[in-house]
Amino acid sequence: MSTFHNRKTIVWIQGITCNGDSHSFFNYENMKTFAKSFEIIYHPLLVTDHDLLSVLDDEKHYDYLIVEGSFSKDISIIERFGLSLETIMNKIAHRVDYIICAGSCASYGGIFRLRNPEKITGAIFSGEEQGGFWKKNDKVINIPGCPMHPRWLSDTLFMLRSGKKIALDSMSRPKEIFSYFVHHGCLRNEYFEWKVDANQFGEKEGCLFYHHGCKGPMTHGNCNKILWNEVSSKTRAGSPCLGCTEPTFPTDNIYETKTYMSLPLAPTGVSKRAYYTITGIAKSFKIERLEKRLIDDN
Ligand code: SF4
Ligand code: SF4
């Protein structure tokens, strides 16, 4: 029995998934506060007062439907309790105010789409193309990431709860979160500017753009501003950004930097010619401070 009043209701459905977004969400630091504002009516991995079939049949209105995992209308690919995902969606999507796609699979098809791009999609996108499970659906908000950061989902839900209109970008992601690039807030920015690359993964020194495949300058997300578990991020730990919030994720050879005439591709929004000119000039400087270890072993 609910002990809080006026909580917004959530039904969580899984498509083709690895459970990663659920587990990421379970790590949300302020779950107690969250639970005062939201009631999870059904979640496949949690013990709740309701089961899926009763929620599908009760015809009640719920505030938010959260979908984790890729979509498919093909019952040979996915079904739940003998029901196709299409049947489940038809029974519930019209009874909610918003449909929130948790993770890149639900948003764009993600990693599972690679296996069968004709039949496995996201909600309203298939990769970069518009038209996924639905041709169009104005209720959908995409929160990509593999997995998504728990704050991206909770911040979006709190914004919706407070009645704010959420501005979305062209891939239906909240601009408040996805206008940033992972490059913003990365502690390696000075190395990037002076074109000093990391020697190997895991080092504190150097940028991972030139030889290690970092996609921070072309990947939308604020990972380096809000951090994971409030502690760290891929680039802070010495691993390149893999671009997991983009509809093109996953790309081949994720740890390799794509080059053009042996120079890395220019960051988003920068003209190639200007970028290569600046790169050449910056590389000609030798900045002693940036060549040293940040923490001396001795
Ligand atoms: S987006 Fe990543 S974490 Fe989420 S279901 Fe797909 S593979 Fe798993
Ligand atoms: S490691 Fe990646 S995110 Fe960090 S400065 Fe270099 S390119 Fe940008």
Side-chain angles (χ1 to χ4, degrees), residues 74-297:
D74 186 338
I75 53 168
S76 70
I77 295 177
I78 177 156
E79 60 175 13
R80 298 279 183 243
F81 303 104
L83 297 174
S84 69
L85 195 62
E86 187 175 22
T87 305
I88 293 172
M89 288 300 151
N90 284 340
K91 276 179 172 285
I92 196 154
H94 66 282
R95 291 194 270 133
V96 299
D97 292 336
Y98 289 96
I99 299 166
I100 299 173
C101 292
S104 292
C105 288
S107 302
Y108 308 122
I111 200 160
F112 299 106
R113 180 177 169 273
L114 291 185
R115 188 179 168 92
N116 190 343
E118 297 301 316
K119 291 187 173 170
I120 298 179
T121 68
I124 52 170
F125 285 95
S126 181
E128 294 175 282
E129 303 296 320
Q130 280 195 335
F133 185 79
W134 292 290
K135 210 168 180 185
K136 194 172 177 310
N137 190 323
D138 293 339
K139 291 183 181 179
V140 169
I141 296 175
N142 285 332
I143 314 278
C146 188
M148 54 147 205
H149 193 298
R151 277 274 308 271
W152 298 342
L153 179 58
S154 57
D155 287 1
T156 301
L157 288 170
F158 276 114
M159 279 193 276
L160 291 173
R161 192 183 195 290
S162 65
K164 289 194 180 116
K165 174 129 182 65
I166 297 188
L168 302 178
D169 70 11
S170 61
M171 300 309 293
S172 297
R173 303 173 287 204
K175 286 186 178 175
E176 192 67 39
I177 298 165
F178 292 98
S179 293
Y180 294 98
F181 283 96
V182 173
H183 187 61
H184 294 147
C186 178
L187 297 180
R188 297 167 191 267
N189 266 313
E190 200 181 4
Y191 295 102
F192 176 83
E193 282 158 23
W194 295 105
K195 320 300 168 204
V196 177
D197 205 40
N199 291 318
Q200 58 185 28
F201 297 136
E203 282 185 354
K204 291 188 189 306
E205 305 82 10
C207 171
L208 298 144
F209 185 64
Y210 304 98
H211 299 298
H212 298 90
C214 185
K215 294 178 179 57
M218 43 283 259
T219 299
H220 295 83
N222 57 6
C223 303
N224 271 317
K225 286 182 171 285
I226 59 172
L227 304 183
W228 288 78
N229 297 324
E230 296 185 319
V231 175
S232 193
S233 69
K234 275 202 174 68
T235 60
R236 289 188 184 206
S239 170
C241 165
L242 307 182
C244 76
T245 57
E246 297 301 319
T248 46
F249 175 81
T251 52
D252 293 339
N253 305 327
I254 47 180
Y255 291 113
E256 278 174 27
T257 301
K258 284 213 171 104
T259 54
Y260 173 71
M261 293 174 71
S262 80
L263 290 165
L265 296 181
T268 300
V270 180
S271 97
K272 274 197 190 112
R273 180 182 287 192
Y275 181 69
Y276 294 145
T277 306
I278 290 170
T279 302
I281 295 169
K283 261 188 164 319
S284 69
F285 285 93
K286 191 166 173 63
I287 300 172
E288 215 178 304
R289 177 168 48 83
L290 298 182
E291 304 293 332
K292 288 184 179 163
R293 301 300 303 262
L294 280 174
I295 299 171
D296 205 330
D297 288 340

